[in-house]
Amino acid sequence: MTIRKEYMHSCEPEKLYEVAMKEAEPYISKFNVKISRISENIFEAKVSIFGKGTIEVQKDRIIITVDSSFLGMPGMKEKVEEMMDKYMAELIEKCKAQQ
């Protein structure tokens, strides 16, 4: 199952990436997330057996796609979407504050 969400922002894309990586570091280490850069503004993340996702940082929006068989479990898709919404709102606010 796949989730695809877009979030509008007004931050510089490179600054947003820097803030995101700094904020995500504890989770990257804890869950052994493998991140690779697919293109200039698209990144792919893999979390062992749990799934993978892509993050595309555009000038005015971020597009996040999460693909995992675990999203089919009862209530899991909604929980993941809620976490994504909360994390992205906090991330965008932190980025704005640092500009």
Side-chain angles (χ1 to χ4, degrees):
M1 181 172 269
T2 302
I3 296 173
R4 183 179 188 278
K5 297 195 77 153
E6 291 188 22
Y7 300 92
M8 302 303 287
H9 70 85
S10 60
C11 295
E12 289 294 322
E14 195 61 37
K15 183 66 175 174
L16 190 60
Y17 172 73
E18 290 174 18
V19 173
M21 292 306 291
K22 182 180 176 185
E23 293 295 317
E25 181 53 41
Y27 304 103
I28 292 169
S29 299
K30 181 178 181 179
F31 297 110
N32 196 26
V33 178
K34 304 293 184 210
I35 297 177
S36 55
R37 192 172 209 150
I38 297 173
S39 70
E40 184 179 343
N41 63 339
I42 301 176
F43 303 87
E44 182 178 70
K46 294 182 181 179
V47 185
S48 63
I49 64 166
F50 297 108
K52 64 180 181 175
T54 59
I55 302 165
E56 182 176 351
V57 182
Q58 297 180 354
K59 184 177 181 179
D60 63 344
R61 74 188 73 220
I62 298 172
I63 303 166
I64 300 176
T65 305
V66 176
D67 185 21
S68 174
S69 59
F70 290 96
L71 294 173
M73 296 172 59
M76 187 58 75
K77 182 176 184 237
E78 294 78 13
K79 182 175 182 176
V80 170
E81 287 178 330
E82 183 181 310
M83 289 171 47
M84 288 169 63
D85 292 345
K86 180 182 176 194
Y87 177 74
M88 288 309 302
E90 291 174 1
L91 182 66
I92 291 168
E93 282 302 311
K94 286 180 182 180
C95 184
K96 285 181 187 178
Q98 292 184 19
Q99 284 192 7

